[in-house]
Amino acid sequence: MYARRVRAGLRGWGGVGAMALLCALAVAFALLLPHTQPRPDGSTGAGGRGVAEGTLAKAGACADPEARSLPPATVEGPAIAAVRKRGYLSVGVDQNSYRWGYRNPNSTAETVELEGFDIDLARRIAQELLGSPDRIRFKAIPTNQRVPAIQSGQVDMVVRTMTITCARLKDVAFSAPYFLTGQQVLAPNSSPVEGYDDTLAGKRICSAAGSTAYEKLDADRAAGNLPASADISTTVPSQLDCLVRLQLGQVDAVVTDSALAASQAAQDPTVELKGKRFTTEYYGVAMKKDATDLVRRVNRILEDYRQDGGWKASYDKWLSPTLGRDSESATPPTPRYR
C-alpha cells in the first residue's frame, strides 16, 4: 500500500524531479563510498600530505596500475608459440637514450650494437624464451608510437622506458614493474628554474609527445598547479630531441623521467636536474592485451632476473654512474599482481 502511494506521488514533473534527486544521491553515495573504505595502511584516502608528489591516475581511473599485471607462470599459449615458430623475438626499443637503449659511438665492434639497461632486459627475455639472447630483432620506435606498434603486431613487446599507467592499460598489457622512476625537471646549470614550481612561469618546456611527462604538464596547467604562462607546446617524437632543443636555446627546460634526465645530464655537463622528482612511476614491459601467456612468462623471467642478480648487475653497469648506488631506484620494485 505504501509503495503504491509512493509511486503515485512520483507521477508528473514533481515525480521526475524526485526520482532525479534520488538517482543523484545514489550515484554520489556510490562514488564516495570507496573513499571511506580503509586502505591497507589503515587510511581512508581522505586528505593528504600536499601536492609535492603526484600520480598520473585521473578521476575514475584504476588505482595502482603497477599492481595489475598477471601472476607469473611458465605455461605456453598462442603468443609464445608464435614467437617460437618465427624463431626470434621482435622488440620495440629506443636507440637514443644514453645507458638505456643507444648505439655506443665508442664501440670497437665492427657493427655498433644497441646496448643499455633496457637492451639487457630484452636480451634476457629472448634468452629465456628462445635459448639465445641473440634471437631478437630490435625496432627503434618513437615515444608516441609505442602503443600502436604493439597493437598492430609490429613488435611482440616494447622495452623502452615505458611507464605503466591506467590509460595505457586500456590499450596494452604490462608486465610487473621493473624500474622505479618519476618526472623531474632538466635545465641549464645557470637557469633560474629551481624545479617543478613557480620558477617555470614564462618558461618554454619540452616533453616527448605521448609521454607521461606531457600528460602531467597538461593536467597540472589545466588544474592550476602549473603557472598558466608556462609554455608546454613544444613536443618531440623522441626524448633526446628535447635535450637538443635545450642545447640550441629553443626551450628553457625539459620534463622527463628522472632516470632519463640523469642520463642526459651525464651527456651534457652544462645541464642539470632541478629540484626533486614530483611523481612516482614504474616502467613495465608492454605487450598485446590478449597475449596473456607471454605476459605471465615475462613476469616469471623478471622474478628470476631480480633474484639471480641479473637486474642488479645491469643496474651497476649502466645506471649506477648516473643515478648512484644508493638511489631509491637502485633496487628493483617489489612486484604485486592482481
Side-chain angles (χ1 to χ4, degrees):
M1 184 69 177
Y2 176 74
R4 286 196 297 272
R5 287 200 301 270
V6 171
R7 286 194 295 271
L10 291 177
R11 294 193 183 100
W13 287 107
V16 171
M19 285 298 291
L21 177 61
L22 289 174
C23 290
L25 289 173
V27 170
F29 179 75
L31 290 173
L32 290 172
L33 183 60
H35 298 285
T36 63
Q37 302 306 304
R39 291 179 176 176
D41 61 1
S43 69
T44 63
R49 297 183 179 181
V51 295
E53 182 172 313
T55 63
L56 291 163
K58 299 179 181 179
C62 66
D64 301 324
E66 73 279 1
R68 297 174 65 85
S69 190
L70 295 169
T74 57
V75 62
E76 296 196 7
I80 295 178
V83 172
R84 291 191 186 281
K85 182 178 180 180
R86 188 195 312 131
Y88 65 87
L89 184 68
S90 178
V91 184
V93 296
D94 197 352
Q95 63 176 357
N96 297 309
S97 290
Y98 183 53
R99 296 188 177 276
W100 285 91
Y102 75 115
R103 297 185 186 277
N104 186 350
N106 298 316
S107 174
T108 58
E110 292 183 5
T111 57
V112 181
E113 298 289 341
L114 283 168
E115 56 186 47
F117 187 81
D118 276 346
I119 304 303
D120 280 0
L121 174 55
R123 291 189 182 279
R124 175 62 180 261
I125 294 172
Q127 168 71 48
E128 297 298 321
L129 285 179
L130 298 168
S132 170
D134 297 324
R135 295 179 71 176
I136 189 169
R137 291 190 184 178
F138 295 115
K139 294 187 178 181
I141 296 176
T143 302
N144 63 351
Q145 291 300 308
R146 292 176 296 188
V147 168
I150 296 168
Q151 292 179 318
S152 67
Q154 182 181 354
V155 295
D156 299 311
M157 60 184 63
V158 166
V159 186
R160 191 191 182 283
T161 58
M162 189 169 178
T163 301
I164 305 168
T165 69
C166 293
R168 289 172 179 168
L169 281 171
K170 297 177 181 178
D171 300 318
V172 297
F174 277 99
S175 70
Y178 67 84
F179 197 83
L180 166 66
T181 186
Q183 298 300 315
Q184 199 160 0
V185 176
L186 184 75
N189 301 339
S190 58
S191 171
V193 171
E194 298 177 359
Y196 195 70
D197 52 31
D198 290 343
T199 60
L200 289 172
K203 297 296 187 288
R204 299 162 299 173
I205 306 169
C206 182
S207 62
S211 68
T212 52
Y214 179 78
E215 291 176 11
K216 177 66 173 171
L217 287 164
D218 187 45
D220 279 355
R221 197 174 66 168
N225 296 326
L226 183 70
S229 60
D231 181 355
I232 64 172
S233 62
T234 301
T235 59
V236 294
S238 295
Q239 183 55 49
L240 186 64
D241 295 336
C242 276
L243 177 61
V244 175
R245 297 288 184 96
L246 192 64
Q247 292 168 330
L248 294 174
Q250 296 175 355
V251 296
D252 304 301
V254 173
V255 171
T256 186
D257 301 349
S258 57
L260 293 177
S263 293
Q264 292 181 9
Q267 287 178 281
D268 184 350
T270 68
V271 301
E272 64 183 7
L273 279 69
K274 301 283 189 174
K276 298 180 179 179
R277 66 173 177 84
F278 51 91
T279 65
T280 296
E281 301 175 26
Y282 297 89
Y283 295 153
V285 178
M287 293 157 276
K288 273 190 173 182
K289 285 185 70 69
D290 60 355
T292 56
D293 58 319
L294 186 59
V295 173
R296 289 180 180 273
R297 185 61 182 275
V298 168
N299 281 340
R300 177 68 264 169
I301 293 168
L302 283 173
E303 290 275 358
D304 295 337
Y305 196 47
R306 287 187 293 264
Q307 294 170 11
D308 65 17
W311 189 99
K312 185 63 174 174
S314 184
Y315 178 90
D316 289 344
K317 178 179 180 180
W318 299 112
L319 305 181
S320 181
T322 54
L323 295 177
R325 293 181 180 275
D326 298 325
S327 166
E328 60 183 344
S329 298
T331 301
T334 300
R336 291 183 293 150
Y337 305 102
R338 70 187 188 198

